Amino acid sequence: MKKSLFLLLIAAVSALGGLLFGYDTGVINGAQFYLTEYFQLSDALKGWVVGSALLGCFVGAIIAGPLSIKIGRKKSLIISALFFTLSAYGSGLPELFPQTVSMLVVFRIIGGLGIGVASMNAPMYIAEIAPSNIRGRMVTYYQLAIVIGFFVVFLATYFIGSDLSVAENIEFGWRRMFWSELIPSILFLVLLFIVPKSPRWLALKGRDKDALEVLQKINGDDIATKEMANIKASLNEANDGVEVSYFSKAILGIIAIGTALSVLQQFTGINAVLYYGADIFEKALGFGKEDVLLQQILLAFVNLVFTFVAMFTVDKFGRKPLLYIGSVGMVIGFLLLGMTLQQQNVGMLSLIGVLVFIASFALSMGPVVWVLLAEMFPNKIRSVAMSVAVAAQWAANYVVSQSFPIVMGSETNNSAPWNGSLPYYIFIAFILIIVFVTYKFLPETKGKTLEEIEGFWKK
């Protein structure tokens, strides 16, 4: 198989992992109105059904590190594909399962486990297998696929629901929405059996011959030999007889930087905008409920377009410049929204502010964080460090998703001088912290091998 086709296969399979991440996260948004009616859910139960997957995401990210070390990146992704498939089938509650909210929650948590395992292993697998000159773009495929997953699921749930009456959607339409995920999840599972294992994991396990064969398929003989030598040198240094202490100052510092970056991705407010986009459009911008789908598609479309921009610039401009540009754009977007809310002059400028924020996030913190997390950690600690960072990201996601509606509904936020703008100024403060962390602590990793990046932390 030609190198270009081989890399295309890897990109396509890893992209399916990202697409399922976005699809599984988004499918509940399309189905929740109808299943709420079907089960007559209270607000508390509705929140538990919608948010339960985040619990699985958190646990999945924690177990993903040890799992990845023991059985490898590829087999870990196969397990995540099984979780996705089981969740997609079970969440529709076929007749053989009890028709209860508890059973639905169990399958939503299983889907979350799949997201947690995939969100840690997929970008790491890509980073460990991709040539250094296109690694940024290839890891960005993962974020692009997440965005496509969000976009596709909005369309899928709409087309499934639009052919049915409200009564039919309440009775069985929401089941079909969940079952539609079976198509990409089964395809993901099948394709994983034909992609190679990570060469760095193979080398870590002493399977140097197998690792070299994979590198040769990707880079050709000369580059593969040099890269294999660098990998072995890195591993020999790591295996110098001294046991890795994750609580040593140096290693703890690296993990802390990666975890802070991961958490700050969520503290930009992106998921508050995506999860509660309809509420923002309705309450802040005065849009009607009948326009909810169009609003969500508009957000998803802008997200998609600017993720493409990031994909084609991350290896050209570098990681840090995109973070700076995106941070400025996110601040401008939220300032536009915040000031129009404060002045009680909500309109087109407010909408532009939301879209500028989404575009800026998609250009920077969305894809670039996954790229940096996948490549910044040394070989000997990559699995555990990334597991910690991704688990922290899901915990931050939960904090934002739970606190945002509380802050939005607070008396302080809904009275002068804030007039509904307080959450967006809080998010601006965290975006400014991103600029500081990027400047002070992050290396520029563009065009460097994973082993060269590892050398940065030894300076």
Side-chain angles (χ1 to χ4, degrees), residues 50-378:
V50 173
S52 57
L54 290 176
L55 175 62
C57 294
F58 178 73
V59 174
I62 290 176
I63 66 172
L67 196 66
S68 179
I69 293 171
K70 188 170 181 61
I71 67 173
R73 290 48 159 154
K74 174 179 172 176
K75 288 183 178 178
S76 295
L77 288 172
I78 290 172
I79 289 174
S80 76
L82 290 170
F83 282 143
F84 281 127
T85 303
L86 181 58
S87 173
Y89 179 67
S91 294
L93 295 182
E95 291 182 1
L96 64 131
F97 293 125
Q99 303 296 296
T100 64
V101 174
S102 297
M103 184 57 63
L104 174 59
V105 166
V106 166
F107 284 110
R108 295 304 303 145
I109 291 174
I110 290 173
L113 288 171
I115 295 173
V117 173
S119 64
M120 179 264 183
N121 275 283
M124 181 169 68
Y125 170 76
I126 304 168
E128 290 187 342
I129 210 163
S132 59
N133 63 315
I134 61 167
R135 185 177 60 244
R137 189 174 78 220
M138 284 194 66
V139 177
T140 304
Y141 283 136
Y142 177 73
Q143 174 66 20
L144 175 66
I146 294 173
V147 175
I148 291 173
F150 269 113
F151 189 68
V152 168
V153 77
F154 288 143
L155 296 178
T157 54
Y158 172 72
F159 285 116
I160 290 170
S162 63
D163 288 336
L164 302 172
S165 67
V166 173
E168 288 173 328
N169 274 313
I170 291 171
E171 183 58 33
F172 59 83
W174 60 272
R175 302 175 192 271
R176 293 179 180 177
M177 294 174 188
F178 285 119
W179 289 336
S180 67
E181 191 182 340
L182 283 168
I183 298 171
S185 63
I186 292 173
L187 185 61
F188 182 45
L189 178 61
V190 171
L191 288 176
L192 279 168
F193 285 96
I194 60 174
V195 296
K197 294 177 180 176
S198 161
R200 284 168 174 81
W201 180 80
L202 289 168
L204 195 64
K205 294 298 181 181
R207 296 169 59 180
D208 294 356
K209 183 181 177 182
D210 294 335
L212 182 60
E213 286 179 0
V214 175
L215 288 170
Q216 287 170 334
K217 287 182 182 179
I218 298 165
N219 300 298
D221 293 345
D222 292 341
I223 296 176
T225 302
K226 293 177 183 177
E227 193 155 347
M228 189 67 201
N230 288 335
I231 293 171
K232 290 301 295 178
S234 169
L235 293 177
N236 288 336
E237 186 176 331
N239 297 325
D240 56 4
V242 179
E243 187 176 346
V244 174
S245 172
Y246 290 98
F247 295 98
S248 68
K249 185 177 180 181
I251 290 178
L252 200 59
I254 298 170
I255 295 175
I257 293 168
T259 301
L261 183 68
S262 192
V263 167
L264 285 167
Q265 185 197 59
Q266 296 302 308
F267 284 176
T268 59
I270 181 60
N271 281 322
V273 175
L274 293 178
Y275 291 164
Y276 300 100
D279 287 342
I280 292 172
F281 276 107
E282 182 186 348
K283 294 177 182 176
L285 306 183
F287 283 41
K289 292 182 182 294
E290 66 277 3
D291 297 318
V292 167
L293 177 72
L294 292 176
Q295 297 152 17
Q296 295 286 13
I297 289 177
L298 181 60
L299 292 181
F301 178 73
V302 171
N303 203 355
L304 179 62
V305 169
F306 280 86
T307 302
F308 270 112
V309 175
M311 187 173 73
F312 290 107
T313 56
V314 67
D315 285 318
K316 184 177 181 181
F317 295 162
R319 286 53 159 158
K320 293 178 74 168
L322 287 187
L323 289 179
Y324 291 136
I325 294 167
S327 295
V328 171
M330 286 188 286
V331 169
I332 291 171
F334 273 156
L335 279 175
L336 286 174
L337 177 59
M339 288 189 293
T340 54
L341 285 168
Q342 280 184 292
Q343 296 168 6
Q344 297 182 311
N345 187 26
V346 174
M348 184 54 67
L349 203 57
S350 313
L351 176 60
I352 290 171
V354 173
L355 297 180
V356 167
F357 168 79
I358 291 287
S360 301
F361 178 87
L363 180 68
S364 58
M365 286 297 285
V368 175
V369 166
W370 289 114
V371 173
L372 285 169
L373 290 180
E375 63 187 8
M376 69 180 287
F377 298 120

